[in-house]
């Protein structure tokens, strides 16, 4: 992906290399696997992430410490700042085209664990968006997990896809989609509520594809293999792929994020159409 030389967002809070304050939940192990299964690309489940983590056993006081970032981490931060700026620019344009007012989210880079308005979370949560503080949270170690444990291709555009997906959840908050979804879930069976959650997640994938379409037109960022990297990441984090790998069987009624095929389809639909009106996943999944 071509990214060097473009604007970098100042809406990034880089907390890598720092820790401390209150309680921190240890990631990994059984709890980490369960949370990862529930919350890969956490989306609007930020509150659930916090609740699950804060209710688990095994909390310990975090040590207050800091360290200098490595040159690789510094470059990684610059890349993420550029991606965030690209998302800000694209969505500002889309909102202007539709006579809407855009509000940019903050992005928090962290290592290990973090406190959010949705509760405490660890890197086991995967990247997620918290509507309570309108912030995206990412531990960059997730992308190595995505590659080594879930078989996704490596590469910088996998990071771009994930960030654009989480940014999509912010767009859903601004448009009121997330709140309508939560209201629609009230009184529904678990299976019906899960279908609505799937629609929300697939729409965020559509928005990631839409961002890719616009950003390519504005910045000619794509290089050979980039779209394949995004689709590989989408394929790796489908509910069916994760369940088959982690528990050996697939339970469709428990899906909350969509199948690998669905996630790839909706990303591609956004990318190829470039039309925000083509992303009504709720209507098409009913």
């Amino acid at each position: 992906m071509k990214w060097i030389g473009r604007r970098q967002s100042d809406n990034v809070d880089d907390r890598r290399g720092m820790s401390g304050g209150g309680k921190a939940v240890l990631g990994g192990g059984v709890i980490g696997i369960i949370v990862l299964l529930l919350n890969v690309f956490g989306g609007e489940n930020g509150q659930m992430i916090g609740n699950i983590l804060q209710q688990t056993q095994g909390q310990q006081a975090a040590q207050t410490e800091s360290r200098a970032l490595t040159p690789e981490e510094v470059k990684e931060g610059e890349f993420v700042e550029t991606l965030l700026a690209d998302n800000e620019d694209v969505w500002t344009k889309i909102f202007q085209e539709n006579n809407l007012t855009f509000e940019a989210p903050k992005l928090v880079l962290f290592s290990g664990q973090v406190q959010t308005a949705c509760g405490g979370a660890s890197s086991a949560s995967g990247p997620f968006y918290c509507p309570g503080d309108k912030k995206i949270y990412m531990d960059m170690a997730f992308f190595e997990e995505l590659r080594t444990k879930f078989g996704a291709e490596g590469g910088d555009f996998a990071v771009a896809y994930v960030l654009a997906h989480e940014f999509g959840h912010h767009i859903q908050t601004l448009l009121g989609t997330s709140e309508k979804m939560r209201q629609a879930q009230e009184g529904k069976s678990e299976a019906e509520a899960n279908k609505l959650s799937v629609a929300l997640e697939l729409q965020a994938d559509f928005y990631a594809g839409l961002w890719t379409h616009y950003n390519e037109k504005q910045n000619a960022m794509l290089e050979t293999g980039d779209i394949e990297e995004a689709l590989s990441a989408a394929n790796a984090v489908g509910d069916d792929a994760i369940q088959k790998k982690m528990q050996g069987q697939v339970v469709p009624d428990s899906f909350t994020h969509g199948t690998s095929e669905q996630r790839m389809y909706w990303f591609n639909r956004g990318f190829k159409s470039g039309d925000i009106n083509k992303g009504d996943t709720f209507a098409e999944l009913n």
Side-chain angles (χ1 to χ4, degrees):
M1 175 184 174
K2 301 173 185 175
W3 63 274
I4 295 175
R6 292 206 296 280
R7 181 179 79 85
Q8 296 176 356
S9 174
D10 58 5
N11 284 320
V12 175
D13 179 5
D14 195 341
R15 303 179 191 174
R16 295 173 300 166
M18 298 186 296
S19 66
K23 297 286 187 177
V25 180
L26 297 177
V30 175
I31 293 299
I33 291 172
I34 291 172
V35 172
L36 185 58
L37 280 170
L38 289 172
N39 300 298
V40 171
F41 299 3
E44 289 304 303
N45 296 322
Q47 186 63 55
M48 183 172 69
I49 292 172
N51 291 340
I52 291 171
L53 292 175
Q54 290 183 329
Q55 290 169 7
T56 60
Q57 299 292 319
Q59 291 184 326
Q60 67 176 22
Q63 297 291 319
T64 301
E65 59 182 28
S66 63
R67 63 169 177 82
L69 297 180
T70 67
E72 291 77 14
E73 287 173 322
V74 171
K75 185 174 182 180
E76 195 173 55
E78 293 172 349
F79 173 54
V80 170
E81 289 168 0
T82 303
L83 289 178
L84 190 63
D86 286 349
N87 276 272
E88 290 167 353
D89 293 345
V90 163
W91 283 106
T92 296
K93 178 178 176 61
I94 293 174
F95 269 51
Q96 288 175 343
E97 290 174 349
N98 289 276
N99 298 314
L100 298 169
T101 301
F102 177 72
E103 174 190 351
K106 298 285 186 180
L107 186 147
V108 178
L109 293 176
F110 71 97
S111 299
Q113 61 273 327
V114 68
Q115 292 296 320
T116 83
C118 297
S122 80
S123 56
S125 311
F128 64 96
Y129 172 75
C130 173
D133 53 22
K134 295 182 180 177
K135 292 181 180 179
I136 298 166
Y137 292 86
M138 290 203 314
D139 185 334
M140 300 303 288
F142 167 79
F143 296 99
E144 183 63 16
E145 296 270 318
L146 192 63
R147 185 181 67 81
T148 59
K149 291 188 178 181
F150 294 93
E153 295 180 14
D156 51 12
F157 205 74
V159 180
Y161 157 65
V162 172
L163 178 54
H165 172 98
E166 297 306 332
F167 207 103
H169 285 305
H170 177 66
I171 299 303
Q172 291 169 325
T173 295
L174 295 182
L175 295 178
T177 310
S178 303
E179 181 59 30
K180 289 178 183 177
M181 186 275 294
R182 283 192 290 271
Q183 291 174 356
Q185 286 179 318
E186 294 178 2
K188 295 287 196 302
S189 67
E190 182 177 356
E192 289 299 316
N194 284 344
K195 286 183 181 180
L196 292 170
S197 176
V198 167
L200 193 79
E201 294 297 329
L202 294 180
Q203 188 177 68
D205 282 327
F206 171 84
Y207 286 157
L210 186 67
W211 168 78
T212 304
H213 174 94
Y214 271 76
N215 207 40
E216 174 63 8
K217 288 179 67 175
Q218 292 180 192
N219 295 310
M221 63 170 179
L222 293 175
E223 296 179 308
T224 301
D226 280 346
I227 295 299
E228 288 74 16
E229 289 174 12
L231 293 176
S232 176
N235 179 70
V237 296
D239 284 321
D240 53 342
I242 293 176
Q243 288 186 356
K244 187 174 182 179
K245 185 174 184 63
M246 302 301 293
Q247 60 193 38
Q249 60 180 342
V250 176
V251 185
D253 281 350
S254 69
F255 289 173
T256 58
H257 287 65
T259 66
S260 297
E261 183 179 3
Q262 286 174 317
R263 299 197 74 163
M264 291 188 293
Y265 170 81
W266 282 101
F267 174 88
N268 254 328
R269 182 162 177 171
F271 174 58
K272 292 179 178 179
S273 73
D275 183 355
I276 193 172
N277 296 309
K278 300 290 187 181
D280 189 354
T281 53
F282 294 89
E284 298 207 19
L285 289 177
N286 287 332

